[in-house]
Amino acid sequence: MRIIILPALNGDCILVEFQTSHYILIDGGYVDTYENYLLPTLKEIEAQGCKLDVVVVTHIDSDHISGIIRLLEDMPIGIGEIWYNGYRHIQSVAVTTEEKETFAHRNICKESQSEECKPISAKQGCTLSALIARNGIPWNTQGKGNAIMAPMSFTLGDAIIHVLSPNNEDIGALESFWKKRLIKDGLLKKAHSEEYWDDAYEFSLSKDMPGFHFHEKKVSKSYDLLKLCKEVYEPDGSASNGSSISFVLETKGKRLLFLGDSHAETVAASLRALYGEEKAPYIFDAVKLSHHGSYNNNSPELFKLIVSDKWLVSTNGDKYNHPDMPALAHIITKGKGMKIYFNYDLPICKELSDGLYHKDFDFEIITPEGESGIQIEI
């Protein structure tokens, strides 16, 4: 099994070869991520006569979705199915007309541009939902056309997928956020569920994302990792992050945990329900940290539930200075032989190479040798 964490700036773009010549793509980073790193890799896969078995779009955020939009515009490779919870999947009632779609575009949709990347057109028909439909890609088939959400388990070839998040409460929080946004903009007089506007939904949430992320937290600088583990944990309150698809992938005796940007509380509850409280902690062969290693999404409670010697971090550290040192401290202090893989060589990697951090703990920081991200063999 092979995991490739591509350079996606402060975002995610992860390709998993879960069985020989079978692939899952988790998010697409920014447009430059797609053009410079993902596209060449996909062309190699396509030349071998293979396709992407599944594309997982964890949630609506420009650092996860922009490259996927460009992928679906180009379609350089076959896609077996896509998992993405659009607005149509969080509405209890969904009815729309061409007039309402036009109104939504005129009043909500803005030009969306990823950082340091080419702009993505906001014209109708270029959003993710429209592109999925236009290309005829099977959409949320594992959920029978409904939302991909916990608790849900299904097979993918010889593999088994267990969805951990979002749950009903997370989906409800995102629906509530969206309706409040429409009311705030004067587009609705009261909350209701008569319309869905996929395009407006995507672009509005992507545009507003920084407004409801957590505020960067200052933590003490200390060589005492046990002291760092005692830093106060503050849960992420972002409705969009809460809607992130996270899952367990089990195949050939291996068990991987991909956490997207999900909330730690939802993941912890789902793991207990899936495997049983009495069997905790749960062993994984690799864990992709939630929200780029944010301490707001990787709680002390969650770390206590997970045993692994391989931890994956996807970020260049922009915007919120991820990953957070307390989150890394919880990993390093879990036991001997901890390995933390980064897709960028960050200042924090150099910081942790200081011998004083290794005085009492046995761990390894692994960074890319080149500029094409990092590969992990499981």
Side-chain angles (χ1 to χ4, degrees), residues 106-244:
R106 287 177 178 173
N107 288 275
I108 304 173
C109 292
K110 308 291 183 184
E111 189 73 11
S112 177
Q113 183 171 348
S114 57
E115 294 187 359
E116 303 178 9
C117 299
K118 296 180 181 179
I120 302 169
S121 173
K123 67 181 181 180
Q124 188 168 10
C126 284
T127 60
L128 180 55
S129 296
L131 288 166
I132 294 171
R134 180 191 303 170
N135 286 304
I137 304 170
W139 188 357
N140 285 10
T141 56
Q142 300 292 351
K144 298 181 179 179
N146 299 311
I148 299 293
M149 58 189 297
M152 184 182 289
S153 297
F154 41 79
T155 58
L156 183 64
D158 294 331
I160 299 175
I161 301 288
H162 302 290
V163 179
L164 303 179
S165 74
N167 59 20
N168 266 316
E169 184 177 343
D170 299 321
I171 292 292
L174 189 64
E175 181 180 12
S176 176
F177 171 84
W178 171 242
K179 288 180 177 178
K180 288 178 181 177
R181 170 58 198 263
L182 292 181
I183 294 170
K184 179 180 178 181
D185 287 353
L187 299 175
L188 297 177
K189 293 182 179 179
K190 60 180 180 179
H192 62 88
S193 55
E194 293 179 359
E195 303 97 348
Y196 73 84
W197 299 320
D198 284 320
D199 292 355
Y201 173 70
E202 290 177 24
F203 282 101
S204 182
L205 264 66
S206 178
K207 175 177 177 291
D208 280 357
M209 204 61 56
F212 57 96
H213 271 278
F214 75 97
H215 297 290
E216 184 177 351
K217 186 161 57 64
K218 301 295 183 181
V219 298
S220 59
K221 181 93 176 252
S222 172
Y223 291 112
D224 188 342
L225 294 175
L226 293 176
K227 179 181 178 181
L228 287 173
C229 289
K230 295 178 181 178
E231 289 281 349
V232 176
Y233 167 72
E234 299 174 4
D236 177 12
S238 161
S240 178
N241 285 344
S243 72
S244 180

Side-chain angles (χ1 to χ4, degrees), residues 260-292:
D261 281 6
S262 57
H263 288 171
E265 292 70 29
T266 299
V267 173
S270 292
L271 286 173
R272 288 191 178 99
L274 176 63
Y275 296 117
E277 180 78 47
E278 70 283 358
K279 294 184 179 181
Y282 314 112
I283 300 173
F284 295 93
D285 293 278
V287 178
K288 184 268 175 186
L289 285 171
S290 179
H291 200 193
H292 322 293

Side-chain angles (χ1 to χ4, degrees), residues 348-358 363 365:
I348 199 169
C349 299
K350 296 179 175 62
E351 166 72 14
L352 287 170
S353 68
D354 191 312
L356 290 176
Y357 287 108
H358 294 259
F363 68 95
I365 300 298

Side-chain angles (χ1 to χ4, degrees), residues 73 211 346:
E73 288 175 338
L346 304 178

